[in-house]
Structures are given as structure tokens and as C-alpha cells.
């Protein structure tokens, strides 16, 4: 615990004290709209019990037009106050402060009623917002003030006023969206009048002993964003207006720079907050891609901020902070920043959860209990399904033996961790190795299990994963035709001119692997910032580098083909797919869709187009890589069934859908909870 002196140090705010430096940052879960307020309270209570100092709720609208979508949670009525009291009462039992985030979406609202300083359409919404009149602006300010007062009446310790990420307040601040020529637009002084008045009026309404945290966009990452001198000026004005804390916002939702995906280096934007340290006298919070205790401690040691905000890491492990207090930080379940079950769910109107922790937002379903009968269980296959089952079953008290045919556990996670930009999977596999050892799971590596080995177990779980699907087309032996496994394991030599057949997640991963060479800019912040066009000197508006993104050339020429007649990568993650497409495009990867694979010969690949198989074309390639999906690996399962041994089938062995760790971990965990 002494190793984490800075993050566990209390912070005196004058009228109240935060017990450590950890803030659970705002994230919308969908629980806010599901009508089960006890479920939402349970979600927050579990994190509060684990000693996080302050929690910020998901965004709550101050009025109908400010809601992110029709029917989104708001704070406008006495009924809303009563609902929120259920949350605040449960959290405050543990000396954890809880703030309600007031979020007015502005032109980001998915609604025909959306409003904005000017009628400038957002690229991420189909609706053109209505330009606010002066009376309309006054109404928006008063509605935000009313929401803050309602939050106070509901028992919140404070509010976070969302002034970043391109939402309404941010839309007033920059000329990118504020084209007004009246007293609410034009000069920067006029444009920041809206956030200043919001904070002043909220402070006047709630009194001095109430936390007001303002989330300020410190780097917009869009054209015509704020300059650094404007950021500093606004921060000082927000302090004078009555804010208690300033939180760091990074990038607008429409920015073409990744800010929280797994390929973003850890703590990639803490230098932005550090630039503001000393410019104001109130505490500053830094955020984005801080996912373990050591990184958090280092960020504070380096003087980057006063507080650390993490959101998704508290989905991955609600006991993140308590494990630091107890000296078991190595047992913290790592957030891998995949977005697959959190942000992808949010933007698809689904309930949030977590790939590595399916209990997130499902806490009432995943109550860990001792089984009525302690069983001996054999698990065959140590991919994400087998591991998650083994850990959960062992935590419940079962005796578990885990068998793995290879020399290391992890299954196809060991392929994912080889992809440049996916280094977080290294940490996930290491965590699993530590947990298996710590819990006393019997681990049998390099073991080919035979049917006879499994007779003496009460339960047998088959989690043998997937194998590459064959292409279904004959190829001449002279051509270098290989599978994605051959590429990622280094089993085959790959030429300079390469075709990839199949453009799902694996195809994109293989392409990234080939064009990156041995270098991953995720491990080199300076190179990563240059690659994505971020100006660390903040000499340009919005923090965008004047010469734009600079991607180093690829040593290989890569062409991706797919049978589906749709944009390549369309089915990738909703919030990360564009990053993969953009990164490969900047590496000059060619993408061809709607094709039929006609012939693979010594000369290369022949394709045709469409259902009528027209417009034959031939291409010369050194290597053709098959990424045409997977099939379940079920041979031992079939053998067991034939002799009448009952067993459970989970993960890719049950249903091969890409490399779907999310489903595999969920299935493994749920099965272990049921036995």
C-alpha cells in the first residue's frame, strides 16, 4: 500500500474531503432508462463499497431537447428526484461522494428537437439542430440550473457540468459550431459567456457547500477548436464563476483522432492536463486510458493532475480501489479498452456491460455463492471461455483442473496480443495466469486430453475453441497460400505483395500486423501523436498538428478482399471500426468487396464480381492469406458424447463467431455460476 502513496492521499476541498484520488468517471450504462432504479443503485453501491472517492453518474439531461435520445434519463420532476434518492442513499453509506452529470447534448441529440447555438448539423446525427433564440438560450441555462438544484434535493454531493466532448456547452465555446453574431457568439469572450453563466447561476442556486465539477474540453481535436490560450482563459473564468474542480475532456465525438480505444497509449493525454496545472488554484482531474494502479500513481507523481478519473476500469473491476488498499493490485481485472461491451453497446442502444467482467451492470444476476455440492470439474481448453469458467468455479469453491494442449494458456488471446495496438491483451493473459495460480486451479499445460482422462470428474466442460475455416477452393501447391494462424505464429514466411481473403475482425488484425512491421506506436506516445496528427505543443487550434497525420509507409503491399458487397469493416465495433479502417487506409491498404474467389494459381488470384460472376480479374501476389472465418473445434466433445459422457460446450467450440471473447467469457462465467 505504501507504493501507492499519492493515489490514496485524501484531498481537502474545504467544505468536504475526498478520501483518495480516484474518481469513477461518467459513463452512460442504459440502466438509467431501464426503469429498475434498484439495479442502478446496486451498480454504483458496489463501486462505492470498494472505496472509490467520488462517483460521477452517466449523463442526465436537464430537459427534453437536451436528451441524447428521446426518452433518455432526465432530472426535471419530483419523481426523478425520488428515483435518484435511491442511488444517492446507497452510495453515501460508504463515505463516497456522488455527483450527477448534467449533460445537454445540443446538436448531438438524436432527435428532431435538438438545439444548438447555430443550425450546424453534426456528422454523427441525421438531424439539423434548431438555432437557439436569445430566449431559448436563457431557458437552456435555467434548465441546467434547475437540474443541479434537483440533484442537490436528491442527495447528490455535487454535479458535473458537461462542457466538453462536443456537447452543447462545447458547441457554444468554439467557432466550429457557434456562428452567431450576437452577444452569445463572435468573440471568444462572447462564446464562453454560456458556460460561465451556467456555473455562476448553479453556484448561486446550490450554495457554497456543494461540489461543482466542470468538464472542460482541454483539446478539441477538431478544426476551429479552442486554442490553448483560450482553454486557459476559460479555465480561469470557470474557477472565478464558482467551480470546485475542473475535469479534463479530450476530443469531440466527431474528432478523427482515437482517444480511448485500445490502440491509444496508456495515459496518452495526461500531458494536456499537466499544461493547465498551476494556471488555476482548484483541483484538476485527468482522464483517458489510465487502467492500472501503477499508471495512476505515476501520473500523480509526475504532477499531471490532482485526481485520476477512470470509467471503464470500474466496469472491469468494481473493487479496483479496495484491491490497492489491501495490497492486491495485481489481482485487479484489467480493462483492455476494447469498447465491445461498453461503448459499442451504448451507441447501439443496448445495456452496457464489460467483455472481461460480464457481471458489470448485471450485479444482481452474478452473486457469487457457495455451491450446495462441491464438485470436481475438468475444463478442456484455456481460451477465454475455459479460463473464465475456471476462475469463477474456483472462486465458488469447486475443485477445477484446466487442461491445455499448448504450452501456454490463453487460447486465441495469444494471437490478439501479437497485433500492434492490442498490447492490452498481454496484460489480460498475464492477469489470467496470475489468477489461475493464485486460486489454485490445477493447470495442465502441453497436455493432449484423452476421453479416458475425464471419467472421474463430476462435470466436464469443453472449451476447445475454434480452428480456421477452409476456403473451399483448390490452389496449386506452388502458391504461398497460408492461414491467419501461419501469419500470427510466424510459422510461414510472408512475401512483400500480399492478399488477404476475408475482411472481418481477423482480416483487419492480420492487415494491421503486416503493415506495422515490428513497430507498435501504441508503445511510443510521441510517434503515436505524430501518426494521428496531434500537436503536443498545442500551437494549433484544437490541438491538431498543422501538417496533419503522418503515417510511416508500410513495407508490404496489402490488398483485402471480401465476398460481401458492402464496405469493408462495416461489421467491426461501432466505436472502433472507423479507427481500423482509417489506420489501414493511411497505410495504403487496398480494400475490395463483392468478389468471388475463382482460382488460386502459381500466378496469384483470380476473382469475379457479383452473383453473376462477371468481370474476371487476375492479380499477382507473393502470399495469399486466408481469413475466411472459423469452425468450432469439437472433436473431443463428439467423442465424449458417443460414449455417453455428459459435458458442457462453451465459447468458440459452441459457436464460432470471429474471435468472440465477449461471448466466450460471458458463457464461461454464467455456466460456472450455475453449477
Amino acid at each position: 500500500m505504501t507504493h501507492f502513496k499519492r493515489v490514496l492521499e485524501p484531498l481537502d476541498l474545504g467544505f468536504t474531503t475526498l478520501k483518495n484520488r480516484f474518481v469513477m468517471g461518467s459513463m452512460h450504462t442504459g440502466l438509467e432508462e431501464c426503469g429498475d432504479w434498484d439495479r442502478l443503485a446496486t451498480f454504483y453501491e458496489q463501486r462505492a463499497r470498494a472505496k472509490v472517492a467520488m462517483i460521477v453518474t452517466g449523463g442526465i439531461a436537464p430537459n427534453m431537447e437536451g436528451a441524447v435520445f428521446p426518452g433518455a434519463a432526465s432530472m426535471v420532476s419530483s419523481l426523478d428526484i425520488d428515483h435518484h434518492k435511491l442511488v444517492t442513499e446507497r452510495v453515501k453509506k460508504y463515505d463516497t461522494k456522488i455527483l450527477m452529470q448534467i449533460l445537454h447534448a445540443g446538436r448531438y441529440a438524436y432527435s428532431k428537437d435538438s438545439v444548438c447555438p447555430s443550425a450546424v448539423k453534426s456528422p454523427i446525427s441525421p438531424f439539423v439542430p434548431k438555432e437557439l433564440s436569445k430566449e431559448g438560450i436563457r431557458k437552456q441555462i435555467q434548465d441546467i440550473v434547475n437540474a443541479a438544484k434537483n440533484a442537490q434535493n436528491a442527495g447528490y454531493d455535487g454535479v458535473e457540468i458537461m462542457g466538453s466532448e462536443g456537447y452543447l456547452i462545447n458547441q457554444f465555446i468554439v467557432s466550429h459550431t457557434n456562428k452567431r453574431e450576437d452577444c452569445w457568439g463572435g468573440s471568444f469572450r462572447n462564446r464562453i459567456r454560456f458556460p460561465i453563466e451556467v456555473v455562476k447561476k448553479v453556484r448561486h442556486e446550490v450554495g457554497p457547500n456543494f461540489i461543482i465539477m466542470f468538464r472542460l474540453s482541454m483539446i478539441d481535436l477538431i478544426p476551429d477548436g479552442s486554442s490553448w490560450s483560450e482553454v486557459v482563459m476559460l479555465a480561469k473564468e470557470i474557477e472565478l464563476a464558482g467551480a470546485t474542480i475542473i475535469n479534463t475532456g479530450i476530443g469531440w465525438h466527431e474528432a478523427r483522432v482515437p482517444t480511448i480505444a485500445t490502440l491509444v497509449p496508456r495515459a496518452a493525454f495526461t500531458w494536456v492536463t499537466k499544461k493547465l496545472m498551476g494556471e488555476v488554484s482548484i483541483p484538476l482531474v485527468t482522464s483517458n486510458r489510465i487502467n492500472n494502479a501503477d499508471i495512476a500513481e505515476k501520473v500523480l507523481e509526475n504532477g499531471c493532475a490532482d485526481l485520476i478519473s477512470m470509467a471503464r476500469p470500474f466496469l472491469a473491476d468494481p473493487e479496483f480501489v479496495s484491491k490497492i488498499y489491501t495490497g492486491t493490485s495485481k489481482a485487479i481485472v484489467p480493462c483492455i479498452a476494447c469498447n465491445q461491451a461498453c461503448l459499442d453497446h451504448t451507441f447501439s442502444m443496448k445495456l452496457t456491460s464489460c467483455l472481461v467482467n460480464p457481471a458489470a451492470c448485471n450485479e444482481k444476476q452474478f452473486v457469487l455463492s457457495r455451491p450446495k455440492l462441491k464438485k470436481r470439474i475438468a475444463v478442456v481448453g484455456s481460451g477465454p471461455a475455459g479460463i473464465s469458467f475456471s476462475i469463477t468455479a474456483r472462486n465458488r469453491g469447486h475443485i477445477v483442473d484446466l487442461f491445455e494442449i499448448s504450452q501456454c494458456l490463453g487460447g486465441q488471446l495469444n494471437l490478439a496480443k501479437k497485433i500492434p495496438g492490442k498490447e492490452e491483451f498481454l496484460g489480460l493473459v498475464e492477469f489470467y495466469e496470475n489468477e489461475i495460480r493464485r486460486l489454485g486451479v490445477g493447470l495442465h499445460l502441453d497436455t493432449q486430453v484423452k476421453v479416458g482422462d475425464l471419467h472421474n470428474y463430476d462435470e466436464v466442460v469443453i472449451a476447445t475453441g475454434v480452428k480456421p475455416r477452409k476456403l473451399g477452393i483448390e490452389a496449386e501447391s506452388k502458391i504461398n497460400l497460408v492461414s491467419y494462424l501461419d501469419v500470427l505464429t510466424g510459422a510461414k514466411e510472408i512475401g512483400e505483395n500480399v492478399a488477404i481473403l476475408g475482411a472481418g475482425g481477423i482480416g483487419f488484425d492480420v492487415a494491421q500486423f503486416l503493415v506495422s512491421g515490428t513497430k507498435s506506436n501504441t508503445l511510443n506516445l510521441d510517434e503515436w501523436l505524430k501518426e494521428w496528427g496531434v500537436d503536443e505543443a498545442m500551437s494549433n487550434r484544437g490541438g491538431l498538428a498543422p501538417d496533419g497525420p503522418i503515417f510511416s509507409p508500410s513495407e508490404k503491399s496489402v490488398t483485402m478482399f471480401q465476398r460481401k458487397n458492402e464496405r469493408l469493416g462495416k461489421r467491426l465495433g461501432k466505436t472502433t471500426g472507423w479507427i481500423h479502417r482509417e489506420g489501414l487506409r493511411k497505410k495504403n491498404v487496398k480494400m475490395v468487396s463483392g468478389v468471388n474467389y475463382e482460382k488460386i494459381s502459381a500466378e496469384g488470384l483470380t476473382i469475379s464480381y457479383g452473383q453473376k460472376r462477371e468481370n474476371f480479374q487476375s492479380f499477382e501476389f507473393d502470399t495469399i492469406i486466408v481469413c475466411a472465418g472459423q469452425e468450432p473445434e469439437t472433436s473431443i466433445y463428439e467423442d465424449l458424447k458417443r460414449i455417453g459422457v455428459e459435458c458442457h460446450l462453451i465459447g468458440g467450440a459452441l459457436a464460432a463467431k470471429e474471435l468472440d471473447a465477449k461471448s466466450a467469457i460471458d458463457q464461461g462465467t454464467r455456466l460456472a455460476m450455475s453449477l
Side-chain angles (χ1 to χ4, degrees):
M1 200 167 82
T2 54
H3 173 57
F4 298 107
K5 179 182 175 184
R6 297 300 305 278
V7 291
L8 298 183
E9 185 180 9
L11 180 64
D12 185 0
L13 298 178
F15 59 90
T16 191
T17 299
L18 302 182
K19 59 190 173 189
N20 56 57
R21 302 304 176 100
F22 284 108
V23 177
M24 177 177 160
S26 175
M27 51 185 160
H28 207 76
T29 64
L31 294 175
E32 298 86 353
E33 287 80 32
C34 76
D36 188 344
W37 287 87
D38 178 66
R39 185 175 174 184
L40 181 62
T42 300
F43 171 74
Y44 286 125
E45 181 182 18
Q46 193 175 88
R47 279 82 188 159
R49 188 187 300 119
K51 300 185 178 180
V52 63
M54 186 162 70
I55 291 172
V56 185
T57 70
I60 305 296
N63 52 34
M64 180 191 71
E65 60 270 27
V68 289
F69 57 86
S74 60
M75 179 58 99
V76 297
S77 69
S78 58
L79 183 61
D80 293 328
I81 293 172
D82 290 342
H83 287 154
H84 282 262
K85 281 181 179 177
L86 295 174
V87 174
T88 59
E89 287 169 2
R90 297 267 286 277
V91 167
K92 292 169 74 172
K93 291 188 298 184
Y94 302 98
D95 188 31
T96 291
K97 312 302 178 189
I98 183 164
L99 277 54
M100 187 188 84
Q101 186 190 76
I102 303 173
L103 185 152
H104 191 305
R107 71 176 190 149
Y108 279 170
Y110 199 84
S111 166
K112 60 182 177 55
D113 297 316
S114 62
V115 296
C116 190
S118 305
V120 180
K121 182 181 175 297
S122 158
I124 62 174
S125 171
F127 303 101
V128 177
K130 299 179 180 69
E131 181 172 312
L132 285 163
S133 65
K134 288 184 179 179
E135 294 76 17
I137 291 172
R138 290 289 180 194
K139 175 188 182 299
Q140 303 309 315
I141 292 173
Q142 189 57 49
D143 286 350
I144 293 171
V145 173
N146 292 344
K149 186 62 180 177
N150 287 341
Q152 188 176 42
N153 291 335
Y156 283 100
D157 298 289
V159 291
E160 178 176 66
I161 297 170
M162 180 45 126
S164 69
E165 265 76 6
Y167 292 112
L168 180 72
I169 292 175
N170 215 170
Q171 292 160 23
F172 268 94
I173 293 167
V174 302
S175 60
H176 181 72
T177 42
N178 187 342
K179 311 294 183 183
R180 304 176 73 95
E181 296 179 355
D182 60 7
C183 61
W184 299 98
S187 69
F188 184 68
R189 176 62 65 179
N190 283 354
R191 297 200 307 273
I192 62 174
R193 184 180 170 194
F194 187 90
I196 291 169
E197 289 214 17
V198 165
V199 176
K200 278 183 178 178
K201 289 180 180 297
V202 169
R203 176 55 73 200
H204 180 267
E205 185 65 31
V206 299
N209 298 332
F210 190 72
I211 298 170
I212 298 177
M213 184 157 71
F214 186 86
R215 184 154 178 148
L216 189 154
S217 184
M218 293 190 197
I219 181 168
D220 291 322
L221 299 175
I222 57 164
D224 301 319
S226 294
S227 68
W228 181 248
S229 61
E230 289 171 346
V231 170
V232 174
M233 183 191 304
L234 177 57
K236 291 179 176 179
E237 291 291 344
I238 292 298
E239 179 181 13
L240 288 173
T244 317
I245 303 169
I246 291 177
N247 195 1
T248 301
I250 303 293
W252 287 37
H253 287 314
E254 65 202 72
R256 304 312 286 172
V257 177
T259 56
I260 56 174
T262 192
L263 62 69
V264 178
R266 289 178 176 177
F269 292 97
T270 55
W271 55 270
V272 179
T273 317
K274 188 175 184 178
K275 284 176 72 72
L276 195 60
M277 290 286 283
E279 298 284 359
V280 292
S281 59
I282 57 178
L284 298 182
V285 187
T286 197
S287 64
N288 286 38
R289 288 291 287 121
I290 301 167
N291 69 343
N292 71 41
D294 292 306
I295 294 286
E297 181 73 12
K298 186 176 179 181
V299 165
L300 295 187
E301 282 180 351
N302 290 344
C304 297
D306 301 291
L307 292 157
I308 300 289
S309 175
M310 303 182 302
R312 295 170 301 167
F314 285 106
L315 290 174
D317 195 336
E319 297 180 1
F320 190 107
V321 180
S322 63
K323 287 178 180 178
I324 298 174
Y325 276 105
T326 58
T328 56
S329 61
K330 296 295 182 186
I332 292 173
V333 185
C335 166
I336 58 174
C338 66
N339 290 3
Q340 291 181 32
C342 51
L343 287 171
D344 283 355
H345 278 210
T346 300
F347 284 94
S348 300
M349 306 293 284
K350 300 177 184 175
L351 282 177
T352 289
S353 189
C354 178
L355 180 144
V356 298
N357 176 28
C361 298
N362 298 301
E363 285 77 13
K364 293 165 76 174
Q365 295 178 32
F366 287 82
V367 178
L368 204 64
S369 61
R370 287 285 170 183
K372 292 180 180 177
L373 179 64
K374 187 174 181 179
K375 296 181 177 181
R376 292 186 71 245
I377 303 174
V379 183
V380 184
S382 75
I387 292 175
S388 59
F389 175 90
S390 299
I391 288 173
T392 307
R394 187 73 189 111
N395 269 321
R396 292 190 64 213
H398 291 302
I399 299 168
V400 181
D401 282 317
L402 177 59
F403 298 92
E404 170 57 47
I405 194 170
S406 71
Q407 295 178 348
C408 57
L409 61 76
Q412 299 216 24
L413 294 176
N414 290 307
L415 300 181
K417 72 185 186 183
K418 293 175 182 285
I419 309 303
K422 288 193 171 183
E423 286 78 12
E424 288 295 350
F425 282 89
L426 286 163
L428 181 59
V429 173
E430 182 181 341
F431 163 76
Y432 282 145
E433 290 170 345
N434 290 339
E435 281 297 278
I436 291 293
R437 284 195 298 267
R438 185 179 71 84
L439 294 171
V441 172
L443 180 59
H444 309 273
L445 297 175
D446 201 14
T447 301
Q448 174 75 61
V449 176
K450 299 179 178 62
V451 170
D453 300 331
L454 304 174
H455 282 305
N456 295 324
Y457 288 93
D458 300 310
E459 303 279 354
V460 176
V461 176
I462 304 300
T464 41
V466 298
K467 57 187 176 183
R469 181 185 296 131
K470 293 180 180 178
L471 188 60
I473 180 172
E474 291 299 318
E476 293 184 8
S477 58
K478 291 180 183 178
I479 192 72
N480 192 10
L481 180 66
V482 302
S483 80
Y484 66 86
L485 284 176
D486 297 321
V487 179
L488 298 179
T489 60
K492 297 284 181 70
E493 205 168 309
I494 308 302
E496 300 302 311
N497 185 20
V498 180
I500 296 175
L501 309 188
I506 298 169
F508 270 81
D509 278 352
V510 168
Q512 187 64 52
F513 181 83
L514 294 174
V515 300
S516 299
T518 59
K519 186 173 77 168
S520 173
N521 285 339
T522 298
L523 304 179
N524 185 325
L525 179 58
D526 290 338
E527 288 297 318
W528 186 89
L529 293 171
K530 184 169 72 173
E531 185 173 74
W532 285 96
V534 179
D535 177 17
E536 200 169 356
M538 296 286 284
S539 57
N540 240 33
R541 285 196 166 274
L544 295 176
D547 45 3
I550 301 174
F551 278 70
S552 57
S554 168
E555 295 178 1
K556 295 186 186 297
S557 172
V558 177
T559 305
M560 300 177 69
F561 297 91
Q562 74 174 20
R563 287 180 167 125
K564 291 187 180 74
N565 189 20
E566 64 185 28
R567 180 182 60 175
L568 271 72
K570 179 182 178 181
R571 297 163 195 267
L572 298 177
K574 197 169 182 68
T575 60
T576 56
W578 73 269
I579 302 170
H580 301 307
R581 289 191 295 270
E582 186 73 1
L584 293 185
R585 186 183 67 79
K586 286 184 164 68
K587 290 282 192 177
N588 297 316
V589 172
K590 303 177 192 70
M591 302 186 186
V592 185
S593 64
V595 307
N596 309 296
Y597 308 127
E598 298 290 350
K599 186 173 74 169
I600 296 173
S601 66
E603 287 71 41
L605 173 69
T606 300
I607 63 169
S608 65
Y609 292 87
Q611 291 183 345
K612 295 183 179 180
R613 307 183 93 87
E614 299 174 323
N615 302 322
F616 278 65
Q617 282 184 283
S618 295
F619 301 87
E620 291 186 6
F621 293 108
D622 303 325
T623 308
I624 297 176
I625 303 168
V626 179
C627 300
Q630 303 79 36
E631 298 172 344
E633 174 54 80
T634 59
S635 55
I636 192 166
Y637 175 76
E638 300 299 336
D639 292 342
L640 288 166
K641 293 295 283 184
R642 268 194 295 272
I643 63 172
V645 176
E646 289 298 322
C647 49
H648 307 274
L649 194 62
I650 58 173
L654 175 65
K657 298 181 296 183
E658 286 289 326
L659 299 185
D660 193 355
K662 180 176 74 170
S663 294
I665 293 170
D666 183 80
Q667 287 172 18
T669 305
R670 288 180 185 273
L671 178 61
M673 296 293 292
S674 70
L675 296 180

